[in-house]
Amino acid sequence: MTLRNTVAYVVDEAKTAVTDGPVELHFVDIASTRSVDPDAPEELAEASELLERVELWVEEDLGEDPPAGISVETAVLGADRYLFSPGDYADAILEYAADVGVDRIVLDPEYSPGGATPMLRPLQLELTRGDVDVAEAPVERRTETTVLTRAASLPKYVTVFGASYLFYMLLSAWKPLDFLTGFLTATLAAVLLAPVAFSQQPSVVRVGKQLARMLLFVPYLLKEIAVANLQIAYVVLHPSLPIDPEIVELRAAVWGDAPVTTLANSITLTPGTLTVSVSDRAFDIHSLTAGSREDLFGGSLERAVRFVFYGREAAAIASPRERGDGGEGQDG
């Protein structure tokens, strides 16, 4: 584990620099979840435990007679926002660095806040936007492995295999040969995709509840699509063609790759609205009519997606969002 060596390197650097004046060491971990996420307490506790271990390592490296002038602070960043891209992670780090006066950032060579997705290099590039020095700790790093040999837990393999096998069989004729070819195809998919398919450990209970709620969401979405089709048909067939195209911004109270993707695609599938881009929790949406914008900002579709992924309690929470429904759109 290079993190232990990274801490030792930073402490050695601090011992050298303290001869010129006091040194503040800030060790931070970036949360992979927002504080309002149902899984947040467990994940934030793990981040705090990691930082507690780091503090112990620092005490060990400073020795029984630590140099005067070295102080240590720890913090968990990002729990107040949805982090998606390397730029989002860099923003959280740079904001913290500016607040506490950090002038140098040292990254653990194996740091990967995106789970199985490599993010260190793009994160380093994004951090150069700030007025701080950015460096990778010069410690021994384990040999990089290919996707085929990266470790994945048994639940990940089982989840990918089960989903692949079910999808294959739904498209098959259910002949004896289909069961065999489906098994082989699902096994290959699990071997190739399980190491990179999840940023966190899959939970049978959580996924099961989400799938059950998805069965309720699909008929609701089909109803919304049908209603929107009738509305658009009326507009198209009306002699005066009463369209009012506009691009608006929706800040939705959803977080995580699957919920954000589901909401973005649901908006696009509903005639009259099209998701143009998604950044953080901000959805840029092209709307064809004023009525489609009213339905969009009414929040019913967003609440339905929250219900699928977070449950009834989260779906009932009012969205703490800033919306672009005050005429801030761009004429299309």
Side-chain angles (χ1 to χ4, degrees), residues 12-34:
D12 287 341
E13 291 288 294
K15 288 180 179 179
T16 302
V18 77
T19 57
D20 298 326
V23 176
E24 288 186 3
L25 298 179
H26 292 264
F27 294 92
V28 301
D29 189 17
I30 303 182
S32 60
T33 180
R34 294 197 341 142

Side-chain angles (χ1 to χ4, degrees), residues 34 36 251-253 255 281 302 306 317-322:
R34 294 197 341 142
V36 292
R251 295 191 63 83
W255 51 94
R281 291 184 300 112
E302 176 188 336
R306 286 209 307 270
I317 298 175
S319 304
R321 60 193 178 192
E322 306 110 22

Side-chain angles (χ1 to χ4, degrees), residues 33-330:
T33 180
R34 294 197 341 142
S35 57
V36 292
D37 193 314
D39 299 324
E42 180 180 349
E43 295 189 25
L44 294 177
E46 291 177 357
S48 298
E49 290 175 5
L50 175 62
L51 292 174
E52 288 176 4
R53 291 202 303 272
V54 168
E55 288 184 295
L56 293 176
W57 292 338
V58 172
E59 292 180 6
E60 179 182 325
D61 293 334
L62 288 176
E64 297 181 358
D65 187 20
I70 297 180
S71 59
V72 179
E73 299 290 340
T74 61
V76 177
L77 308 181
D80 59 339
R81 67 187 77 182
Y82 170 57
L83 303 178
F84 177 74
S85 67
D88 296 333
Y89 284 86
D91 289 340
I93 296 174
L94 291 174
E95 288 175 16
Y96 178 83
D99 290 340
V100 301
V102 168
D103 55 13
R104 187 186 185 204
I105 298 174
V106 178
L107 297 172
D108 171 25
E110 291 186 345
Y111 181 56
S112 181
T117 306
M119 195 182 285
L120 183 64
R121 292 292 176 263
L123 176 61
Q124 283 182 291
L125 182 62
E126 291 286 348
L127 286 173
T128 58
R129 294 187 282 106
D131 189 22
V132 292
D133 293 331
V134 181
E136 182 180 318
V139 298
E140 184 177 353
R141 187 175 185 177
R142 291 178 296 186
T143 303
E144 292 290 338
T145 57
T146 64
V147 172
L148 285 174
T149 58
R150 285 178 189 161
S153 63
L154 180 60
K156 290 184 179 181
Y157 283 114
V158 172
T159 302
V160 175
F161 175 86
S164 302
Y165 192 73
L166 177 61
F167 181 74
Y168 188 96
M169 294 308 298
L170 288 175
L171 299 178
S172 72
W174 292 78
K175 295 179 179 179
L177 182 60
D178 293 332
F179 287 93
L180 175 60
T181 55
F183 177 85
L184 295 176
T185 302
T187 300
L188 180 61
V191 171
L192 293 176
L193 301 179
V196 297
F198 301 92
S199 59
Q200 61 180 352
Q201 194 78 337
S203 167
V204 175
V205 175
R206 183 179 69 249
V207 173
K209 291 180 179 179
Q210 291 174 348
L211 289 176
R213 293 193 291 263
M214 182 65 76
L215 295 178
L216 300 176
F217 173 74
V218 170
Y220 166 79
L221 179 61
L222 293 176
K223 185 266 292 184
E224 291 293 306
I225 292 175
V227 171
N229 268 304
L230 293 176
Q231 293 173 341
I232 296 301
Y234 168 79
V235 170
V236 172
L237 296 175
H238 197 283
S240 63
L241 194 64
I243 63 172
D244 181 24
E246 189 175 346
I247 291 181
V248 295
E249 180 183 87
L250 171 71
R251 295 191 63 83
V254 296
W255 51 94
D257 296 347
V260 169
T261 301
T262 300
L263 179 58
N265 288 335
S266 298
I267 291 171
T268 297
L269 286 172
T270 306
T273 53
L274 171 68
T275 303
V276 178
S277 66
V278 180
S279 177
D280 195 2
R281 291 184 300 112
F283 295 70
D284 292 328
I285 301 167
H286 180 275
S287 55
L288 188 62
T289 65
S292 62
R293 288 191 290 277
E294 291 177 3
D295 293 340
L296 180 67
F297 290 115
S300 59
L301 188 58
E302 176 188 336
R303 287 191 295 272
V305 172
R306 286 209 307 270
F307 168 72
V308 171
F309 290 95
Y310 315 128
R312 185 177 301 277
E313 182 177 349
I317 298 175
S319 304
R321 60 193 178 192
E322 306 110 22
R323 290 176 165 175
D325 54 347
E328 298 180 3
Q330 305 168 11

